[in-house]
Amino acid sequence: MSEVKTIEISRELLDSAYNYEEYRAMIEKLLSAGKTTGENHSEGMLHYTRMNIHRMNRQDKNVSLSENLKQRLEQVERPMVWLILTEAWCGDAAQLIPVIQKMADSSGKIEAKYILRDEHLELMDRFLTNGKSRSIPKLICMDAETLELLGDWGARPKEAQVLFESLSNTKGIASQEVAERLHKWYAEDKTVSMQKEFLPILDQWEKSK
């Protein structure tokens, strides 16, 4: 989780952002027209997008939040907006966004909104992973009333990020193998690591001044 930054996010941006159902519908509409989000509509990117629809459908159906996390979410008192930077072709986003949405849905105080990274690169560049990577999904947490920045999370659970960096820095491993091993980790972890991470994060965000 990154240190708190000075940032201004307008009400107009939040009003124009997608909710989860709108985000999913937008992806389906683009794909039916032979497109995905962003400017690259190659068959490869369309393939990733199709796979990601299946991943999100699977996560929507199968992910259950732990009792500890559900109880903590139900106890959230501070109204928050979670603004998530994402793209339809991003495999990490497909694995993680359904979990983010389930967390928001479990709280009466959290609203999740979605925007496309490549349409908001100036904002993305304020939340780079390790100060250099435009990795997504990136969750920006704000006070719902003041829009004060409370913190951010992403683009992966810590253990997944360590694995990704280790594989990426290993000579001779192709990007396709990196992706396959990362998705294998997601399948075996079953969102447990992410859910555990959010218990102390929620405490920190609620207490942030």
Side-chain angles (χ1 to χ4, degrees):
M1 187 169 51
S2 305
E3 64 182 19
V4 174
K5 305 171 179 65
T6 300
I7 183 172
E8 292 185 3
I9 294 176
S10 67
R11 295 281 179 189
E12 289 76 16
L13 174 58
L14 295 177
D15 289 343
S16 67
Y18 301 101
N19 62 32
Y20 187 61
E21 291 75 17
E22 291 167 343
Y23 174 68
R24 295 295 309 274
M26 177 268 293
I27 295 172
E28 295 276 4
K29 183 177 180 180
L30 283 172
L31 194 57
S32 68
K35 297 180 179 180
T36 184
T37 59
E39 299 297 325
N40 185 347
H41 305 297
S42 66
E43 183 51 44
M45 296 296 272
L46 296 179
H47 173 68
Y48 294 144
T49 302
R50 292 188 197 99
M51 288 181 62
N52 289 338
I53 289 175
H54 291 305
R55 287 177 176 132
M56 287 188 285
N57 288 340
R58 184 174 62 246
Q59 295 292 69
D60 284 340
K61 179 179 178 181
N62 295 332
V63 170
S64 296
L65 301 182
S66 70
E67 286 303 316
N68 285 344
L69 183 55
K70 284 194 289 187
Q71 290 176 10
R72 180 63 188 88
L73 287 161
E74 290 168 0
Q75 295 167 359
V76 169
E77 296 182 356
R78 184 175 198 169
M80 301 178 188
V81 175
W82 288 2
L83 181 64
I84 299 99
L85 290 152
T86 183
E87 292 285 347
W89 42 259
C90 176
D92 292 288
Q95 296 280 10
L96 301 172
I97 279 178
V99 190
I100 291 172
Q101 188 61 46
K102 283 180 183 287
M103 288 192 286
D105 289 342
S106 294
S107 171
K109 299 291 186 178
I110 299 171
E111 181 181 19
K113 304 286 283 185
Y114 301 86
I115 59 175
L116 299 178
R117 182 196 69 175
D118 291 355
E119 293 180 0
H120 300 88
L121 291 178
E122 182 178 355
L123 178 60
M124 178 74 256
D125 287 347
R126 302 184 196 183
F127 293 91
L128 299 175
T129 297
N130 296 328
K132 60 183 180 180
S133 172
R134 289 173 170 171
S135 299
I136 49 176
K138 179 67 71 169
L139 188 164
I140 304 168
C141 177
M142 293 166 288
D143 182 283
E145 297 178 1
T146 66
L147 300 190
E148 172 192 0
L149 178 66
L150 304 180
D152 63 273
W153 180 90
R156 302 176 181 91
K158 291 178 181 178
E159 188 175 336
Q161 183 65 25
V162 169
L163 174 63
F164 173 78
E165 292 176 1
S166 175
L167 292 172
S168 298
N169 293 328
T170 300
K171 292 183 179 180
I173 296 184
S175 59
Q176 182 62 33
E177 182 178 351
V178 173
E180 289 175 357
R181 291 178 63 175
L182 189 58
H183 286 294
K184 182 174 183 290
W185 181 91
Y186 282 125
E188 294 174 347
D189 182 73
K190 300 183 186 301
T191 78
V192 170
S193 296
M194 180 178 180
Q195 293 191 41
K196 288 181 177 178
E197 280 187 25
F198 265 82
L199 285 167
I201 288 173
L202 287 165
D203 290 341
Q204 181 175 341
W205 289 350
E206 275 218 281
K207 295 174 182 176
S208 181
K209 301 296 184 182

